[in-house]
Amino acid sequence: MWKLKTVTVGLLALAMMTGCDVVQEEKQQETLRTNVEDSIGMGRTAYASRCINQQLMAAKDSDAYYLWLSMRNKLYYTRMQTDSMKVTMNRIQQYISSCNHKARKPGRGGSDFNLLQAEWLLAKGVWHTAIMGRPDSGLVYNNKAIEQLKKINARPQLMLSALTNQADYYRQLGKLDYSADAYMQALALSDTMNNPNANTAVELGIATVYTFLADYENSNKWWKRAEQHVSEMQRADQFIFYNNRGNDLYLQQRYSEALPYFKKAATLVKGDSTKAWDYYTARANMGEIYVWLGHTEQARQALDEADAFFQQAGFDIVRYYIETSRIGLDLKEGHTDRALKRMAEASTPKHMLPAAVVQRLKIEELVYRTAKMMPQAYAVHQQKDAINDSIQTANMTMRMNANLLQYQHNRKLDEQQHIIDRQYIMGLLAWGLFLIATLIIIVLGILVYLRHRQHQLHNLKVRQQIVRLRMENIRNRISPHFIFNALNHEMLAQMNGKKVNLSSLTQLLRRGLAQTEMLETTLSEELAFIKYYVSIESQQMESDFRFKIEKEKNVNTDRVFIPAMVVQIYVENAIKHGLRPKKIVEGKYRDLLIKIHRKGTDSTEIEVLDNGMGLGPTSTEQMHTGMKVVQQTIQMLNDHNNSKIAFGIMNRRDLPAGETGCRSWITVPDSFDFLL
């Protein structure tokens, strides 16, 4: 008994594993078929053909094989290989008939077989409508395919194709209200698929329905809506857009506006052998437009090309349109006799659309009137009016039905919107509570931040006060230093028996004290003080002392701000420690030069150059008081600026061999801020 249970459990597990594998494989096949269909729609026929051939060779059973054969049939239709398409459909039909005759469900549970039947029914609908010109028969097959797809719960892409085909067949039969309803169903389905390409195909169909309803206000709205996405469409949809939009403008008698759309449609598929059908359809439309615009040579060329192709293809419906255009062309060229002869020889196919017949009758009436054949013109006019009255009555009925269908559709949408609105309100309430809680947290956070910020500002003010005090302490060291140097200088001069000018000394000290009380000064004020200072010093120097200021023209000293007394200290050190101790050599001068120039685009550089004793080995270690003040002042100011003041002192390297001298310099950025 235990062994029997073990075997049973094992078989169940194996069955479950096998079932999972089957489901997974079916999903993979379904995804692959969808990808191949998309490739065919995008014109990647070579890739699609290779993939179909691989799957045909790898098919595990007959159902799978014929499903991929049905996919090849779609490729044949895209390439308009009608003979191959007919042979393939007959093969699939024979297989389906044999399976039904044996009353079995081939394949895995019959799902592939049922899908194959639906695919075959869709293909038959396309064949009868697009190739045979029998949309009534195509509709019968297509409706059976829709019923089959509903039973097997087929993938949305296939159902969408069936619904759009159904809408197109109804449109060709003139049942525009049913066409509108089918498109509305397709639109609802495409909305659930979240597929832009699917929505595009449906929107093109709706625009075309409005065109045939002669509701040009709505057709223009839908065509303009579709035109915004032309660049994103697949090539097949682009052709439909250009060709059908051209038809819409043609029916509105806006011929010059319609022509560019037909030209774009033809250009889009020109040179592609698989799109010859589309190309010559667009050429036939161009020929008709050329007739109405009076471009007879271009009209004849386009109509001849299209007629030759469709005569070979055996498609009489398009040839009927072409023959109508030829009659109009004869009339435009003044060949009334030729037009009458063509009318007498022409015949109307059994299933020709009423709109095409009306167009032929309109041309015939013009021909009879031109030929002064009034009884015939009157008879044709009555025949045309009878068909028009029938079409108008049908259109009025269809508009009413379409409006009713639109109302029902809108009502469903309103109900769905009501549910969505309730969910939206509940969502808003939840979000509102969340936002209130978030707002409270944010307010508390802001209060904490402001408290912290206030504390930071207080600490910053305290630090700034400390910095100011330190700066004042540093700057105050300049005053006694300057006074000591000035007095010491005059005392030495008196001891050496040189003339002492106490009045000049007093003025120098007064101006020096004023300078030391300022943190910043203009370069012009600093230079004025230096000139006064040097004039006093030069009285104590020998005649070999020379002083000069060189300034570039683009430097405005009134707009250049520098730390006060810095350049004066450089000058004082140059005289005191560089030039004064230097021995006097006959024929040579002791020179002091101040050079001012722009450095880059945002700074000014001031150099103090002398040819004195230069810097000794211990000069940098035994820094003088004035230089220490310069260094500390600039460091304190730089701490509060992103752009820094650069400064320094070094021996000169530009003097002839054997001579010495010193270079002191400071570079001040234009944007430097002296506020602490």
Side-chain angles (χ1 to χ4, degrees):
M1 187 66 180
W2 180 82
K3 290 183 178 180
L4 179 60
K5 287 183 179 180
T6 303
V7 172
T8 303
V9 171
L11 289 174
L12 286 173
L14 180 62
M16 290 176 65
M17 292 173 62
T18 304
C20 290
D21 290 342
V22 169
V23 171
Q24 184 68 24
E25 185 177 346
E26 287 180 350
K27 287 183 177 179
Q28 291 176 351
Q29 284 289 304
E30 184 176 311
T31 302
L32 185 57
R33 282 195 291 268
T34 301
N35 291 338
V36 172
E37 279 187 347
D38 290 342
S39 298
I40 293 173
M42 290 185 290
R44 298 167 56 194
T45 55
Y47 164 78
S49 180
R50 287 197 303 272
C51 190
I52 291 169
N53 291 336
Q54 291 172 0
Q55 294 302 313
L56 285 171
M57 294 177 62
K60 295 182 178 180
D61 54 49
S62 297
D63 291 348
Y65 177 85
Y66 280 96
L67 264 178
W68 282 106
L69 195 62
S70 180
M71 188 67 68
R72 177 183 279 176
N73 205 39
K74 294 180 182 180
L75 189 61
Y76 287 147
Y77 173 68
T78 302
R79 294 173 171 174
M80 275 298 160
Q81 297 173 303
T82 53
D83 293 339
S84 300
M85 186 178 177
K86 186 176 182 179
V87 171
T88 304
M89 283 195 303
N90 288 338
R91 285 184 61 189
I92 297 172
Q93 184 178 6
Q94 291 172 3
Y95 173 71
I96 292 173
S97 298
S98 67
C99 290
N100 287 331
H101 179 71
K102 295 177 182 178
R104 68 180 183 86
K105 291 183 177 181
R108 301 178 183 88
S111 60
D112 282 354
F113 181 71
N114 293 331
L115 180 59
L116 176 64
Q117 285 182 305
E119 291 271 22
W120 178 78
L121 289 168
L122 287 173
K124 287 289 286 184
V126 171
W127 172 266
H128 279 281
T129 303
I131 308 302
M132 303 300 296
R134 294 291 306 272
D136 51 347
S137 300
L139 185 62
V140 172
Y141 283 105
N142 195 82
N143 288 344
K144 289 181 180 179
I146 291 175
E147 293 175 5
Q148 183 78 356
L149 292 172
K150 288 179 180 178
K151 290 178 183 178
I152 62 176
N153 193 24
R155 54 196 170 95
Q157 183 67 37
L158 202 57
M159 178 60 79
L160 183 65
S161 297
L163 287 172
T164 51
N165 286 349
Q166 183 188 55
D168 188 56
Y169 301 161
Y170 276 131
R171 177 182 60 77
Q172 294 186 48
L173 289 169
K175 298 181 179 181
L176 303 181
D177 50 343
Y178 290 101
S179 178
D181 182 45
Y183 274 125
M184 290 300 174
Q185 293 181 51
L187 186 61
L189 178 60
S190 66
D191 286 341
T192 64
M193 294 169 61
N194 193 26
N195 185 337
N197 291 329
N199 279 329
T200 297
V202 176
E203 288 175 0
L204 291 174
I206 293 173
T208 305
V209 168
Y210 278 121
T211 295
F212 278 83
L213 277 170
D215 186 353
Y216 298 122
E217 181 180 354
N218 278 313
S219 72
N220 284 330
K221 180 180 70 175
W222 280 88
W223 285 120
K224 288 178 180 178
R225 177 175 173 178
E227 193 161 16
Q228 297 175 358
H229 311 290
V230 170
S231 61
E232 304 166 8
M233 293 180 188
Q234 295 179 359
R235 190 172 66 155
D237 289 334
Q238 286 179 335
F239 178 84
I240 292 172
F241 168 79
Y242 289 126
N243 191 69
N244 289 10
R245 177 53 167 162
N247 285 327
D248 179 78
L249 294 168
Y250 165 77
L251 292 173
Q252 298 181 55
Q253 298 183 1
R254 295 160 62 181
Y255 304 123
S256 59
E257 295 178 55
L259 182 59
Y261 285 95
F262 289 133
K263 284 183 175 180
K264 288 181 179 178
T267 302
L268 191 67
V269 295
K270 185 177 181 180
D272 187 346
S273 59
T274 65
K275 297 293 181 181
W277 193 285
D278 291 341
Y279 174 72
Y280 288 106
T281 299
R283 288 292 288 165
N285 289 331
M286 289 169 62
E288 190 169 359
I289 293 292
Y290 284 136
V291 170
W292 287 103
L293 292 176
H295 302 162
T296 55
E297 289 299 325
Q298 293 169 297
R300 183 178 292 103
Q301 182 181 358
L303 293 173
D304 287 347
E305 290 178 6
D307 191 39
F309 174 79
F310 287 109
Q311 184 177 9
Q312 184 178 2
F315 197 60
D316 293 335
I317 294 177
V318 178
R319 295 196 69 207
Y320 182 83
Y321 281 100
I322 294 173
E323 194 66 18
T324 300
S325 299
R326 287 188 184 279
I327 295 171
L329 180 60
D330 291 338
L331 189 62
K332 285 281 185 181
E333 292 179 329
H335 301 303
T336 308
D337 293 340
R338 187 191 303 170
L340 288 169
K341 181 181 179 182
R342 198 183 297 276
M343 287 161 49
E345 295 174 352
S347 61
T348 301
K350 183 178 180 181
H351 303 287
M352 183 53 58
L353 297 176
V357 176
V358 168
Q359 188 175 350
R360 172 67 66 85
L361 292 173
K362 186 188 297 184
I363 293 292
E364 289 181 354
E365 182 182 357
L366 288 174
V367 173
Y368 285 133
R369 287 184 182 276
T370 305
K372 308 299 183 182
M373 301 170 65
M374 294 307 171
Q376 292 89 337
Y378 179 72
V380 170
H381 182 79
Q382 285 187 316
Q383 187 180 355
K384 182 186 68 174
D385 283 350
I387 297 175
N388 275 333
D389 290 342
S390 174
I391 292 174
Q392 288 176 2
T393 302
N395 282 348
M396 289 178 63
T397 303
M398 285 185 288
R399 282 196 183 95
M400 292 177 62
N401 291 338
N403 289 336
L404 178 61
L405 292 169
Q406 184 67 47
Y407 169 76
Q408 293 173 345
H409 180 71
N410 290 341
R411 186 175 178 181
K412 290 180 181 178
L413 290 178
D414 289 340
E415 292 174 356
Q416 294 175 355
Q417 188 63 42
H418 180 66
I419 296 172
I420 294 171
D421 288 343
R422 287 184 60 188
Q423 295 174 344
Y424 178 70
I425 291 172
M426 294 301 294
L428 283 180
L429 182 60
W431 272 105
L433 294 174
F434 173 76
L435 289 175
I436 290 172
T438 304
L439 185 61
I440 292 172
I441 294 172
I442 290 173
V443 170
L444 291 175
I446 291 173
L447 291 174
V448 172
Y449 172 77
L450 290 176
R451 181 70 177 172
H452 178 67
R453 183 66 176 169
Q454 187 178 14
H455 183 67
Q456 284 184 323
L457 289 174
H458 176 72
N459 290 341
L460 180 60
K461 289 180 180 179
V462 172
R463 286 199 300 271
Q464 286 179 336
Q465 187 64 28
I466 293 172
V467 170
R468 286 194 185 94
L469 291 173
R470 290 178 61 194
M471 198 71 185
E472 289 177 7
N473 180 53
I474 292 170
R475 298 295 295 170
N476 286 338
R477 293 167 61 188
I478 293 180
S479 296
H481 167 75
F482 179 72
I483 293 170
F484 171 77
N485 283 347
L487 292 175
N488 187 50
H489 167 262
E490 293 301 325
M491 289 173 63
L492 288 173
Q494 190 175 29
M495 291 172 62
N496 293 330
K498 294 182 180 180
K499 183 179 178 181
V500 176
N501 190 340
L502 294 178
S503 175
S504 298
L505 178 61
T506 303
Q507 292 181 18
L508 179 65
L509 292 174
R510 184 180 295 113
R511 296 188 67 172
L513 289 172
Q515 287 287 90
T516 56
E517 290 176 358
M518 296 185 296
L519 188 59
E520 63 176 317
T521 185
T522 64
L523 182 55
S524 61
E525 291 174 345
E526 182 85 351
L527 291 176
F529 178 66
I530 289 171
K531 289 177 183 177
Y532 193 78
Y533 171 77
V534 172
S535 67
I536 295 175
E537 286 287 351
S538 63
Q539 295 175 9
Q540 310 301 325
M541 299 285 284
E542 299 296 335
S543 59
D544 64 338
F545 172 72
R546 293 188 302 187
F547 171 63
K548 186 179 180 182
I549 297 176
E550 292 181 358
K551 178 181 76 67
E552 288 184 350
K553 292 182 179 180
N554 60 345
V555 177
N556 187 346
T557 56
D558 290 327
R559 294 175 177 264
V560 177
F561 291 88
I562 63 173
M565 297 289 289
V566 169
V567 180
Q568 191 279 332
I569 290 174
Y570 284 165
V571 171
E572 183 180 340
N573 283 341
I575 294 173
K576 180 180 177 181
H577 302 291
L579 296 173
R580 188 178 293 162
K582 185 175 181 179
K583 293 181 180 180
I584 299 174
V585 179
E586 187 176 351
K588 292 190 177 182
Y589 292 93
R590 290 178 290 175
D591 291 319
L592 176 62
L593 173 63
I594 297 177
K595 293 179 68 174
I596 304 165
H597 58 89
R598 296 287 291 171
K599 186 170 185 179
T601 59
D602 58 354
S603 300
T604 302
E605 185 171 81
I606 304 102
E607 296 180 280
V608 178
L609 305 169
D610 68 70
N611 60 350
M613 302 296 293
L615 296 174
T618 60
S619 296
T620 54
E621 298 176 3
Q622 298 174 351
M623 188 178 295
H624 305 295
T625 302
M627 290 305 298
K628 289 181 180 178
V629 170
V630 169
Q631 184 182 43
Q632 292 173 355
T633 299
I634 292 175
Q635 286 178 349
M636 291 288 286
L637 291 171
N638 279 344
D639 288 342
H640 295 78
N641 279 273
N642 292 326
S643 300
K644 310 296 184 183
I645 291 177
F647 66 101
I649 182 170
M650 64 180 67
N651 283 323
R652 292 179 64 179
R653 299 176 182 176
D654 58 331
L655 294 173
E659 293 189 20
T660 59
C662 186
R663 173 181 177 265
S664 303
W665 56 275
I666 180 170
T667 304
V668 184
D670 297 339
S671 59
F672 197 81
D673 186 2
F674 289 90
L675 294 177
L676 296 176

